[in-house]
Coordinates of all heavy atoms in Angstrom, one line a residue:
G1 N 37.5 -84.8 91.1 CA 38.5 -85.0 92.0 C 39.8 -84.2 92.0 O 40.4 -84.1 93.0
D2 N 39.9 -83.5 90.8 CA 41.2 -82.7 90.7 C 40.8 -81.3 91.2 O 39.7 -80.8 91.2 CB 41.6 -82.6 89.2 CG 42.1 -83.9 88.8 OD1 42.9 -84.6 89.5 OD2 41.8 -84.3 87.5
T3 N 42.0 -80.5 91.4 CA 41.8 -79.2 91.9 C 42.9 -78.3 91.2 O 43.8 -78.8 90.6 CB 42.2 -78.9 93.4 OG1 43.3 -79.6 93.7 CG2 41.2 -79.8 94.3
F4 N 42.6 -77.1 91.0 CA 43.5 -76.2 90.4 C 43.3 -74.8 90.9 O 42.3 -74.4 91.5 CB 43.3 -76.2 88.8 CG 41.8 -75.9 88.5 CD1 41.6 -74.5 88.0 CD2 40.8 -76.8 88.5 CE1 40.2 -74.2 87.7 CE2 39.5 -76.5 88.1 CZ 39.2 -75.2 87.7
G5 N 44.5 -73.9 90.7 CA 44.3 -72.6 91.3 C 45.0 -72.4 92.6 O 44.8 -71.4 93.2
E6 N 45.6 -73.4 93.1 CA 46.2 -73.4 94.5 C 47.3 -72.2 94.7 O 47.5 -71.7 95.8 CB 46.7 -74.8 95.0 CG 47.9 -75.2 94.1 CD 47.5 -76.1 92.9 OE1 46.4 -75.9 92.5 OE2 48.4 -76.7 92.4
I7 N 48.0 -72.0 93.6 CA 49.1 -70.9 93.7 C 48.4 -69.6 94.1 O 49.0 -69.0 95.0 CB 49.9 -70.9 92.5 CG1 50.7 -72.2 92.2 CG2 50.9 -69.7 92.5 CD1 51.5 -72.3 91.0
A8 N 47.4 -69.2 93.4 CA 46.7 -68.0 93.5 C 46.0 -68.0 94.9 O 45.9 -66.9 95.5 CB 45.7 -67.7 92.4
L9 N 45.6 -69.1 95.4 CA 44.9 -69.2 96.6 C 45.9 -68.8 97.7 O 45.4 -68.2 98.7 CB 44.4 -70.7 96.8 CG 43.6 -71.0 98.1 CD1 42.3 -70.2 98.1 CD2 43.6 -72.5 98.4
L10 N 47.2 -69.1 97.5 CA 48.1 -68.8 98.6 C 48.7 -67.4 98.5 O 49.1 -66.8 99.5 CB 49.1 -69.9 98.6 CG 48.7 -71.3 99.1 CD1 49.8 -72.3 98.8 CD2 48.2 -71.2 100.4
D11 N 49.0 -66.9 97.2 CA 49.8 -65.8 97.0 C 49.0 -64.6 96.5 O 49.5 -63.4 96.5 CB 51.1 -65.9 96.3 CG 50.9 -66.2 94.7 OD1 49.7 -66.2 94.4 OD2 51.8 -66.5 94.0
G12 N 47.9 -64.7 95.9 CA 47.0 -63.8 95.4 C 47.7 -63.2 94.1 O 47.2 -62.0 93.7
G13 N 48.7 -63.7 93.6 CA 49.4 -63.2 92.4 C 48.6 -63.5 91.1 O 47.4 -64.1 91.1
P14 N 49.2 -63.1 89.9 CA 48.6 -63.3 88.6 C 48.4 -64.8 88.3 O 49.3 -65.5 88.8 CB 49.4 -62.6 87.6 CG 50.3 -61.7 88.5 CD 50.4 -62.2 89.9
R15 N 47.4 -65.1 87.6 CA 47.2 -66.6 87.2 C 48.5 -66.9 86.2 O 48.6 -66.2 85.4 CB 45.8 -66.7 86.5 CG 44.6 -66.5 87.4 CD 44.4 -67.5 88.3 NE 43.1 -67.5 89.1 CZ 42.7 -68.2 90.0 NH1 43.5 -69.1 90.4 NH2 41.6 -68.0 90.6
T16 N 49.0 -68.1 86.4 CA 50.0 -68.5 85.6 C 49.5 -69.3 84.3 O 50.3 -69.6 83.5 CB 51.0 -69.4 86.4 OG1 50.2 -70.5 86.9 CG2 51.5 -68.8 87.6
A17 N 48.1 -69.5 84.4 CA 47.6 -70.2 83.1 C 46.1 -69.8 83.1 O 45.6 -69.2 83.9 CB 47.8 -71.8 83.2
S18 N 45.5 -70.2 82.0 CA 44.2 -70.0 81.8 C 43.3 -71.4 81.9 O 43.9 -72.4 81.9 CB 43.8 -69.5 80.3 OG 44.4 -68.3 80.1
A19 N 42.1 -71.3 82.5 CA 41.3 -72.5 82.8 C 39.9 -72.2 82.0 O 39.2 -71.2 82.3 CB 41.2 -72.7 84.2
A20 N 39.5 -73.3 81.3 CA 38.1 -73.3 80.7 C 37.4 -74.6 80.9 O 38.1 -75.6 80.9 CB 38.2 -72.9 79.2
V21 N 36.2 -74.5 81.0 CA 35.4 -75.8 81.2 C 35.2 -76.4 79.9 O 34.6 -75.9 78.9 CB 33.9 -75.4 81.8 CG1 33.1 -76.9 81.9 CG2 34.2 -74.8 83.2
S22 N 35.8 -77.6 79.7 CA 35.6 -78.6 78.5 C 34.6 -79.5 78.4 O 34.3 -80.1 77.4 CB 37.0 -79.0 78.2 OG 37.3 -79.9 79.2
E23 N 33.8 -79.6 79.6 CA 32.7 -80.5 79.7 C 31.9 -80.1 80.9 O 32.4 -79.8 81.9 CB 33.1 -81.9 79.9 CG 32.0 -83.1 80.0 CD 32.6 -84.4 80.2 OE1 33.2 -85.0 79.4 OE2 32.4 -84.8 81.4
N24 N 30.6 -79.9 80.7 CA 29.8 -79.4 81.8 C 30.1 -79.8 83.2 O 30.4 -81.1 83.3 CB 28.3 -79.7 81.6 CG 27.6 -79.1 80.3 OD1 28.1 -78.1 79.8 ND2 26.5 -79.6 79.9
A25 N 30.3 -78.8 84.1 CA 31.0 -79.2 85.3 C 30.3 -78.7 86.5 O 29.6 -77.7 86.5 CB 32.5 -78.7 85.3
S26 N 30.4 -79.4 87.6 CA 30.0 -79.1 88.9 C 31.3 -78.7 89.7 O 32.1 -79.6 89.9 CB 29.2 -80.1 89.6 OG 29.0 -79.7 91.1
L27 N 31.5 -77.5 90.1 CA 32.9 -77.0 90.7 C 32.5 -76.6 92.1 O 31.5 -76.2 92.4 CB 33.4 -75.9 89.8 CG 33.7 -76.1 88.3 CD1 34.2 -74.9 87.7 CD2 34.6 -77.3 88.1
F28 N 33.6 -76.7 93.0 CA 33.5 -76.1 94.2 C 34.6 -75.0 94.2 O 35.7 -75.2 93.7 CB 33.5 -77.1 95.4 CG 34.8 -77.9 95.5 CD1 35.9 -77.4 96.2 CD2 34.9 -79.2 95.0 CE1 37.0 -78.2 96.5 CE2 36.0 -80.0 95.3 CZ 37.0 -79.5 95.9
L29 N 34.3 -73.9 94.8 CA 35.1 -72.7 94.9 C 35.4 -72.2 96.2 O 34.6 -72.3 97.2 CB 34.3 -71.5 94.1 CG 34.9 -70.1 94.1 CD1 36.1 -70.2 93.3 CD2 33.8 -69.1 93.7
L30 N 36.7 -72.0 96.5 CA 37.2 -71.6 97.8 C 37.9 -70.3 97.7 O 38.9 -70.2 96.9 CB 38.1 -72.6 98.4 CG 38.7 -72.3 99.8 CD1 37.6 -72.1 100.8 CD2 39.6 -73.4 100.2
E31 N 37.4 -69.1 98.2 CA 38.0 -67.8 98.0 C 39.3 -67.7 98.9 O 39.2 -68.1 100.0 CB 37.0 -66.7 98.3 CG 35.8 -66.7 97.2 CD 35.0 -65.4 97.4 OE1 35.4 -64.6 98.1 OE2 33.9 -65.4 97.0
R32 N 40.2 -67.0 98.3 CA 41.5 -66.7 99.1 C 41.3 -66.1 100.4 O 41.9 -66.3 101.4 CB 42.5 -66.1 98.2 CG 43.8 -65.7 98.9 CD 44.8 -64.9 97.9 NE 46.1 -64.9 98.5 CZ 46.5 -63.7 99.2 NH1 45.6 -62.8 99.4 NH2 47.7 -63.8 99.7
R33 N 40.5 -65.1 100.5 CA 40.2 -64.2 101.6 C 39.8 -65.1 102.8 O 40.1 -64.8 103.9 CB 39.4 -62.9 101.4 CG 38.0 -63.4 100.9 CD 37.2 -62.2 100.4 NE 36.0 -62.5 99.7 CZ 34.8 -62.4 100.5 NH1 34.8 -62.0 101.8 NH2 33.7 -62.7 99.9
H34 N 39.0 -66.1 102.5 CA 38.5 -66.9 103.6 C 39.5 -68.0 103.9 O 39.7 -68.3 105.1 CB 37.2 -67.6 103.1 CG 36.1 -66.7 102.8 ND1 35.1 -66.9 101.8 CD2 35.7 -65.5 103.4 CE1 34.2 -66.0 101.8 NE2 34.6 -65.0 102.8
F35 N 40.2 -68.6 103.0 CA 41.1 -69.6 103.3 C 42.3 -69.0 103.9 O 42.9 -69.8 104.8 CB 41.7 -70.2 101.9 CG 42.5 -71.4 102.1 CD1 41.9 -72.6 102.5 CD2 43.9 -71.3 101.8 CE1 42.8 -73.8 102.6 CE2 44.6 -72.4 101.9 CZ 44.2 -73.6 102.4
R36 N 42.8 -67.9 103.6 CA 43.9 -67.3 104.3 C 43.7 -67.1 105.8 O 44.6 -67.4 106.6 CB 44.2 -65.9 103.6 CG 45.6 -65.2 104.2 CD 45.8 -63.9 103.5 NE 46.8 -63.1 104.2 CZ 48.1 -63.3 103.9 NH1 48.5 -64.2 103.1 NH2 49.0 -62.7 104.6
K37 N 42.5 -66.6 106.1 CA 42.3 -66.5 107.6 C 42.3 -67.8 108.4 O 43.0 -68.0 109.3 CB 40.9 -65.9 107.8 CG 40.5 -65.6 109.3 CD 39.2 -64.8 109.2 CE 38.8 -64.3 110.7 NZ 38.7 -65.5 111.6
L38 N 41.8 -68.9 107.6 CA 41.9 -70.2 108.2 C 43.2 -70.8 108.3 O 43.7 -71.4 109.3 CB 41.0 -71.1 107.4 CG 40.8 -72.6 107.9 CD1 40.3 -72.6 109.3 CD2 40.0 -73.4 107.0
L39 N 44.1 -70.4 107.3 CA 45.4 -70.9 107.3 C 46.3 -70.3 108.3 O 47.1 -70.9 108.9 CB 46.0 -70.5 105.9 CG 47.3 -71.2 105.4 CD1 47.1 -72.6 105.3 CD2 47.8 -70.6 104.1
E40 N 45.9 -69.0 108.7 CA 46.7 -68.3 109.9 C 46.3 -69.0 111.2 O 47.1 -68.9 112.2 CB 46.3 -66.9 109.8 CG 46.9 -66.1 108.7 CD 46.4 -64.7 108.6 OE1 45.4 -64.4 109.3 OE2 46.9 -63.9 107.8
E41 N 45.1 -69.6 111.2 CA 44.6 -70.2 112.5 C 44.9 -71.6 112.7 O 45.0 -72.1 113.9 CB 43.0 -70.1 112.6 CG 42.6 -68.6 112.6 CD 41.0 -68.5 112.5 OE1 40.5 -69.6 112.3 OE2 40.5 -67.4 112.4
E42 N 45.2 -72.3 111.8 CA 45.4 -73.8 111.8 C 46.9 -74.2 111.3 O 47.1 -74.3 110.1 CB 44.4 -74.5 110.8 CG 42.9 -74.4 111.3 CD 42.7 -75.4 112.6 OE1 43.7 -76.2 112.8 OE2 41.6 -75.3 113.0
N43 N 47.6 -74.6 112.3 CA 49.1 -74.9 112.0 C 49.0 -76.2 111.2 O 49.9 -76.4 110.4 CB 49.8 -75.1 113.4 CG 50.2 -73.9 114.0 OD1 50.2 -72.8 113.3 ND2 50.3 -73.9 115.3
E44 N 48.1 -77.1 111.5 CA 48.1 -78.4 110.7 C 47.9 -78.1 109.3 O 48.5 -78.7 108.4 CB 47.0 -79.3 111.3 CG 46.8 -80.6 110.5 CD 45.5 -81.3 110.9 OE1 44.9 -81.0 111.8 OE2 45.1 -82.3 110.1
L45 N 47.0 -77.2 108.9 CA 46.7 -76.9 107.6 C 47.9 -76.1 106.8 O 48.1 -76.6 105.6 CB 45.5 -76.0 107.5 CG 45.0 -75.5 106.2 CD1 44.6 -76.7 105.2 CD2 43.9 -74.6 106.2
A46 N 48.5 -75.3 107.6 CA 49.8 -74.6 106.9 C 50.8 -75.7 106.6 O 51.5 -75.6 105.5 CB 50.2 -73.6 107.9
L47 N 51.1 -76.5 107.5 CA 52.3 -77.5 107.2 C 51.8 -78.4 106.1 O 52.6 -78.9 105.3 CB 52.5 -78.3 108.6 CG 53.1 -77.6 109.6 CD1 53.2 -78.3 110.9 CD2 54.6 -77.1 109.3

């Protein structure tokens, strides 16, 4: 239920920390290039 990496999702800058899987995980991944386009289109999402 937790998420991480939102800063990079928005600014594309360097990662401020490292992340490693500490227990076998099922993850969902959202790429910045796709999300940025949607962010530009959806005011509700931006706010």
Side-chain angles (χ1 to χ4, degrees):
D2 290 320
T3 59
F4 56 100
E6 64 273 14
I7 295 176
L9 182 69
L10 295 174
D11 69 5
R15 297 287 188 182
T16 57
S18 301
V21 177
S22 54
E23 181 182 287
N24 291 346
S26 175
L27 305 179
F28 62 88
L29 175 67
L30 179 59
E31 293 190 18
R32 179 176 185 268
R33 58 192 176 95
H34 297 144
F35 185 76
R36 182 180 173 83
K37 187 175 185 299
L38 182 60
L39 198 61
E40 292 172 350
E41 298 172 357
E42 291 284 354
N43 290 335
E44 177 191 345
L45 178 59
L47 291 172

